[in-house]
Amino acid sequence: MYTGVVIVLVVGVALGAPPAPAPCCAPDQLECVLGLTTGYMHEGKGGSQTGIILLAYDYTGRRMWYSYHLTDTYVGAINYDVIQDYKNGSQYVIRGKTCTRTVLTGEMKQDCVPATATYVGYSTLTSATSKIGFNSYTFMAMPNQTNVVFSVTEDGCYPLSVQAQGTANNTSYFTTMGYVNVTLGIKDPSVFIPPKSCPQVKAKDPFHQFSGGVRYIMDKYRK
């Protein structure tokens, strides 16, 4: 378990760093909480989103679950869950008692350091009783020319932090995310079970092929 990992954003490069490591992949099953802060500018108006996102990542079962709990400058509270079931080709968006099911296409990709990433360096996060070494990388994501900087642990390739800056849909933004309470395995598989209120597939839905913040951030590791 890792806590307080947002601190890594201000840790300097350690002396005596090892050579650039080979690209690694995150564990096949993990759960965590993501702390999110995003500042954005759209048509001359600035705003922000802050909050947390609960995440269950199950590459073995080819499924993901996100639970958003955010506050936006203009929208206010944002609360909804997303289930992505790649084996069955279905995505579910749950808002309160309502649910939408859409067709999910493509294969789920493993969360890995992309081959195109540039190694930035090695640092450590140290307490009185322990030390965590981590590696940082950067790359330019397409098609929106988004600059991404992220860090993973030296042992286990656990995600630690992400910074992303770019433009999408005429909106410029800067996002910082820190991973906390990262644990191996899936403690509660029921999060992947959609409500019975999701019987029909809608061809068109505002969340079809969900491409929000977490989907993008997770894509940074994908080959």
Side-chain angles (χ1 to χ4, degrees), residues 8-40:
V8 301
L9 297 175
V10 296
V11 175
V13 176
L15 296 177
C24 63
C25 295
D28 286 347
Q29 292 182 322
L30 61 80
E31 296 177 338
C32 65
V33 179
L34 295 90
L36 168 72
T37 299
T38 298
Y40 60 84

Coordinates of all heavy atoms in Angstrom, one line a residue, residues 8-40:
V8 N 5.4 13.1 -4.5 CA 6.4 12.8 -5.5 C 6.6 13.9 -6.5 O 7.6 14.0 -7.2 CB 6.2 11.5 -6.3 CG1 6.1 10.3 -5.3 CG2 4.9 11.6 -7.1
L9 N 5.6 14.8 -6.6 CA 5.7 15.8 -7.6 C 6.8 16.9 -7.3 O 7.2 17.6 -8.1 CB 4.3 16.5 -7.7 CG 3.2 15.6 -8.2 CD1 1.9 16.4 -8.2 CD2 3.5 15.2 -9.6
V10 N 7.2 16.9 -6.0 CA 8.2 17.9 -5.6 C 9.5 17.2 -5.2 O 10.4 17.9 -4.7 CB 7.7 18.8 -4.5 CG1 6.5 19.6 -4.9 CG2 7.3 17.9 -3.3
V11 N 9.7 15.9 -5.4 CA 10.9 15.2 -5.0 C 11.9 15.4 -6.1 O 11.6 15.2 -7.3 CB 10.6 13.7 -4.7 CG1 11.9 13.0 -4.5 CG2 9.7 13.6 -3.6
G12 N 13.2 15.7 -5.8 CA 14.2 15.9 -6.8 C 14.8 14.6 -7.2 O 14.6 13.5 -6.7
V13 N 15.6 14.7 -8.3 CA 16.3 13.5 -8.8 C 17.4 13.1 -7.8 O 18.2 13.9 -7.4 CB 16.9 13.8 -10.2 CG1 17.7 12.6 -10.7 CG2 15.7 14.1 -11.2
A14 N 17.4 11.8 -7.5 CA 18.4 11.4 -6.5 C 19.8 11.2 -7.1 O 19.9 10.9 -8.3 CB 18.0 10.0 -5.9
L15 N 20.8 11.3 -6.3 CA 22.2 11.1 -6.8 C 22.5 9.6 -6.9 O 21.9 8.8 -6.2 CB 23.2 11.8 -5.8 CG 23.1 13.3 -5.7 CD1 24.1 13.8 -4.6 CD2 23.4 14.0 -7.0
G16 N 23.4 9.3 -7.7 CA 23.7 7.9 -7.9 C 22.6 7.0 -8.5 O 22.4 5.9 -8.2
A17 N 21.8 7.6 -9.4 CA 20.7 6.9 -10.0 C 21.2 5.8 -10.9 O 22.2 5.9 -11.5 CB 19.8 7.9 -10.8
P18 N 20.4 4.7 -10.9 CA 20.7 3.6 -11.8 C 20.5 4.0 -13.3 O 19.8 5.0 -13.5 CB 19.8 2.5 -11.3 CG 18.6 3.2 -10.7 CD 19.2 4.5 -10.1
P19 N 20.9 3.2 -14.2 CA 20.7 3.5 -15.6 C 19.2 3.4 -15.9 O 18.4 2.8 -15.1 CB 21.5 2.4 -16.4 CG 21.7 1.3 -15.4 CD 21.8 2.0 -14.0
A20 N 18.8 3.8 -17.1 CA 17.4 3.8 -17.5 C 16.9 2.4 -17.5 O 17.5 1.5 -18.1 CB 17.2 4.4 -18.9
P21 N 15.8 2.1 -16.8 CA 15.2 0.8 -16.7 C 14.5 0.4 -17.9 O 14.0 1.2 -18.7 CB 14.3 0.9 -15.5 CG 13.8 2.3 -15.5 CD 15.0 3.1 -16.0
A22 N 14.3 -0.9 -18.1 CA 13.4 -1.4 -19.2 C 12.0 -1.0 -18.9 O 11.6 -1.0 -17.7 CB 13.6 -2.9 -19.3
P23 N 11.1 -0.8 -19.9 CA 9.7 -0.4 -19.7 C 9.1 -1.6 -18.9 O 9.4 -2.8 -19.1 CB 9.2 -0.3 -21.1 CG 10.3 0.1 -21.9 CD 11.5 -0.7 -21.3
C24 N 8.2 -1.2 -18.0 CA 7.5 -2.2 -17.1 C 6.0 -2.0 -17.2 O 5.5 -1.1 -17.8 CB 7.9 -2.0 -15.7 SG 7.5 -0.4 -14.9
C25 N 5.3 -3.0 -16.7 CA 3.8 -3.0 -16.7 C 3.3 -3.0 -15.2 O 3.9 -3.7 -14.4 CB 3.2 -4.2 -17.5 SG 3.6 -4.1 -19.2
A26 N 2.2 -2.4 -15.0 CA 1.6 -2.4 -13.7 C 1.1 -3.8 -13.4 O 0.9 -4.6 -14.3 CB 0.4 -1.4 -13.6
P27 N 0.8 -4.1 -12.1 CA 0.2 -5.4 -11.7 C -1.1 -5.6 -12.5 O -1.8 -4.7 -12.8 CB 0.0 -5.3 -10.2 CG 1.0 -4.3 -9.8 CD 1.1 -3.3 -10.9
D28 N -1.4 -6.9 -12.7 CA -2.6 -7.2 -13.5 C -3.9 -6.9 -12.8 O -5.0 -6.7 -13.4 CB -2.6 -8.7 -13.9 CG -1.6 -9.0 -15.0 OD1 -1.1 -8.0 -15.6 OD2 -1.3 -10.2 -15.3
Q29 N -3.9 -6.8 -11.5 CA -5.1 -6.5 -10.7 C -4.7 -5.5 -9.6 O -3.8 -5.9 -8.8 CB -5.7 -7.7 -10.1 CG -6.3 -8.7 -11.1 CD -7.0 -9.9 -10.5 OE1 -6.5 -10.4 -9.5 NE2 -8.1 -10.3 -11.0
L30 N -5.3 -4.4 -9.5 CA -5.1 -3.5 -8.4 C -6.3 -2.6 -8.2 O -7.1 -2.4 -9.0 CB -3.8 -2.7 -8.6 CG -3.7 -1.7 -9.8 CD1 -4.4 -0.4 -9.6 CD2 -2.2 -1.4 -10.1
E31 N -6.3 -2.0 -7.0 CA -7.3 -1.0 -6.6 C -6.6 0.2 -6.0 O -5.5 0.0 -5.4 CB -8.3 -1.6 -5.6 CG -9.1 -2.7 -6.1 CD -10.0 -3.3 -5.0 OE1 -9.7 -3.1 -3.8 OE2 -11.0 -4.0 -5.3
C32 N -7.2 1.4 -6.2 CA -6.5 2.5 -5.7 C -7.5 3.7 -5.6 O -8.7 3.6 -6.2 CB -5.3 2.9 -6.5 SG -5.7 3.4 -8.2
V33 N -7.1 4.8 -5.0 CA -7.9 6.0 -5.0 C -7.0 7.1 -5.7 O -5.8 7.2 -5.4 CB -8.2 6.5 -3.6 CG1 -8.9 7.9 -3.7 CG2 -9.0 5.5 -2.9
L34 N -7.6 7.8 -6.7 CA -6.8 8.8 -7.4 C -7.3 10.2 -6.9 O -8.5 10.5 -6.9 CB -7.0 8.7 -8.9 CG -6.5 7.5 -9.6 CD1 -7.5 6.4 -9.6 CD2 -6.1 7.8 -11.0
G35 N -6.4 11.0 -6.4 CA -6.6 12.4 -6.1 C -6.4 13.2 -7.4 O -5.3 13.2 -8.0
L36 N -7.4 14.0 -7.7 CA -7.4 14.7 -9.0 C -7.6 16.2 -8.8 O -8.5 16.7 -8.1 CB -8.5 14.2 -9.9 CG -8.8 15.0 -11.2 CD1 -7.7 14.8 -12.2 CD2 -10.1 14.5 -11.8
T37 N -6.7 17.0 -9.5 CA -6.9 18.4 -9.6 C -6.6 18.9 -11.1 O -5.6 18.6 -11.6 CB -5.9 19.2 -8.7 OG1 -6.2 18.8 -7.4 CG2 -6.1 20.7 -8.8
T38 N -7.6 19.5 -11.7 CA -7.5 19.9 -13.1 C -7.9 21.4 -13.2 O -8.9 21.8 -12.7 CB -8.4 19.1 -14.0 OG1 -8.1 17.8 -14.0 CG2 -8.4 19.6 -15.4
G39 N -7.0 22.2 -13.8 CA -7.4 23.6 -14.2 C -7.6 23.6 -15.7 O -6.8 23.0 -16.4
Y40 N -8.6 24.4 -16.1 CA -8.8 24.4 -17.6 C -9.3 25.8 -18.0 O -9.7 26.6 -17.2 CB -9.9 23.4 -18.0 CG -11.2 23.6 -17.3 CD1 -12.2 24.4 -17.8 CD2 -11.6 22.8 -16.2 CE1 -13.4 24.6 -17.1 CE2 -12.8 23.0 -15.5 CZ -13.7 23.8 -16.0 OH -14.9 24.0 -15.4

